[in-house]
Amino acid sequence: MRFSFLLAMMITALTTSAWAADKVTLRLGDVKGDRFISLRESGQLKDLPYDLKLTSFDSGAPVQEALNAGALDVGFTGDLPFLFVYAAGAPVKAVGAWQNNPDSIALLTRADSGIHSLKDLKGKQIAVNRGGWGHYLVLGLLDRAGLKPSDVTLRFLGPVDGRAALASHAVDAWATWEPYVSSAMVIDKDVLVPQGGGKGILSGYSYALARESSLQDPAKRAAIADLQARLAKAQIWAEQHPQAFAKALSATLGMPESITQPWIARAQIRPIEFTPKLAATLQQSADFFFKNRVLPKSVDVHQAFDYSLAAQANLLAESQEAKHE
């Protein structure tokens, strides 16, 4: 702990000197903007020594595309979209992480679909996001039910189209994540498939990713380290103030609180220590996707992580994790 504290102090000192020359702009991509909203509502965007420009996306894949194209410096996304862009050779590194409740990624169906157990999925059409949480979840659920991937037909659709396909009876089930789970259950009256949550299958990890070129810029590197510490504080605030956070999400995203409240209650987002154990977990996912022929080649993910910026955020996450034990 003492070493971590000293390291954090050193990073703070380096950060101050790096910003002294010019105020830089960090271009941030976020899924739905919920992490950005937690930063804003917790007060962590006050007195930023750098400018933060936000672009919000509907899912993790376009965040990755924007990072790969050089349109972003930092992006927030799930672990599996990162896996695919890294496997494709994108110049990005994971620099921080947090955890969602794995059951906030779930398989939904209509009440009239005739799906009352995982075994009832046989012969059905299921909407998933290719290479993402939904795809991984369905493969894991089929394995759990003793079924094979060939026992179902997968339709590769993004979250908006997946929801529409389920509502129009074009598919029988849809694997998705929050806030789409709560939105579909509240508005469309969709239901959870029994035992169709991600616990025991998915890690629930999400990452802050940075372009390698941004990490090589001293001023941007210092800003990214500072943003990570602020994000950890914001996530702790959001967990401790669920009603205020739900209200802020509702006002900003135009969703009723009847959706944002169950969303954050189910997601249970919290910061975690950014350590090599995360690489081991992502490697398991890479091996699983390769075995199921989703990844075209075997991938070693251990070089995809940069742990050097995480000292300040890790101190906060370590304290928060101790409260959950």
Side-chain angles (χ1 to χ4, degrees):
M1 177 67 75
R2 181 177 297 174
F3 174 76
S4 297
F5 177 76
L6 291 173
L7 183 59
M9 294 298 291
M10 289 172 63
I11 289 175
T12 301
L14 290 171
T15 296
T16 302
S17 63
W19 286 322
D22 289 299
K23 193 173 185 179
V24 300
T25 297
L26 276 187
R27 299 164 301 165
L28 170 66
D30 191 9
V31 178
K32 279 294 183 185
D34 59 303
R35 296 303 88 203
F36 182 86
I37 294 168
S38 72
L39 282 162
R40 185 192 68 200
E41 293 301 310
S42 63
Q44 291 302 314
L45 295 183
K46 293 179 180 178
D47 302 319
L48 283 179
Y50 47 89
D51 292 323
L52 196 60
K53 180 182 177 182
L54 172 72
T55 303
S56 184
F57 299 86
D58 285 331
S59 63
V63 174
Q64 304 290 344
E65 293 168 6
L67 276 168
N68 194 28
L72 300 174
D73 298 299
V74 184
F76 298 157
T77 185
D79 55 347
L80 298 179
F82 171 47
L83 170 62
F84 275 81
V85 75
Y86 177 75
V92 295
K93 297 277 189 181
V95 295
W98 59 93
Q99 187 167 33
N100 306 268
N101 171 22
D103 276 344
S104 65
I105 304 127
L107 186 62
L108 297 175
T109 189
R110 298 182 308 278
D112 63 356
S113 69
I115 299 174
H116 306 294
S117 71
L118 294 179
K119 290 189 178 297
D120 292 333
L121 295 175
K122 188 171 183 178
K124 304 298 187 183
Q125 294 198 56
I126 306 172
V128 302
N129 57 320
R130 185 194 294 269
W133 276 344
H135 197 173
Y136 197 98
L137 173 65
V138 168
L139 291 175
L141 292 176
L142 292 173
D143 190 56
R144 178 181 287 174
L147 299 175
K148 303 184 297 293
S150 58
D151 287 327
V152 301
T153 300
L154 297 184
R155 296 278 305 278
F156 296 118
L157 300 170
V160 175
D161 291 337
R163 178 176 176 177
L166 182 61
S168 67
H169 293 228
V171 298
D172 305 291
W174 170 41
T176 191
W177 57 92
E178 289 292 354
Y180 300 107
V181 171
S182 290
S183 181
M185 292 178 70
V186 170
I187 296 176
D188 302 337
K189 307 304 179 185
D190 292 332
V191 296
L192 295 170
V193 173
Q195 295 185 307
K199 190 168 292 183
I201 296 173
L202 291 155
S203 71
Y205 292 146
S206 288
Y207 292 131
L209 309 176
R211 276 186 63 84
E212 291 181 357
S213 59
S214 299
L215 291 172
Q216 292 163 4
D217 181 316
K220 285 192 174 183
R221 183 180 180 86
I224 292 167
D226 177 81
L227 180 62
Q228 285 302 103
R230 291 174 185 265
L231 180 61
K233 292 177 182 178
Q235 290 169 331
I236 292 170
W237 174 88
E239 185 178 23
Q240 294 174 345
H241 300 84
Q243 292 184 338
F245 188 38
K247 186 175 182 178
L249 288 171
S250 174
T252 304
L253 300 179
M255 293 181 178
E257 288 185 50
S258 60
I259 293 174
T260 60
Q261 287 179 351
W263 165 13
I264 63 174
R266 187 176 284 114
Q268 299 173 20
I269 297 172
R270 60 188 177 90
I272 55 171
E273 286 190 87
F274 192 64
T275 68
K277 71 178 183 181
L278 299 174
T281 300
L282 188 61
Q283 188 63 57
Q284 291 177 0
S285 298
D287 295 343
F288 180 79
F289 261 160
F290 177 63
K291 183 185 76 171
N292 283 278
R293 300 181 181 180
V294 181
L295 269 178
K297 62 181 181 180
S298 179
V299 178
D300 183 348
V301 305
H302 289 82
Q303 298 303 312
F305 293 78
D306 184 336
Y307 304 103
S308 64
L309 305 185
Q312 296 179 69
N314 275 352
L315 289 175
L316 294 164
E318 182 180 294
S319 173
Q320 192 69 357
E321 284 187 330
K323 294 179 181 178
H324 284 269
E325 291 177 354

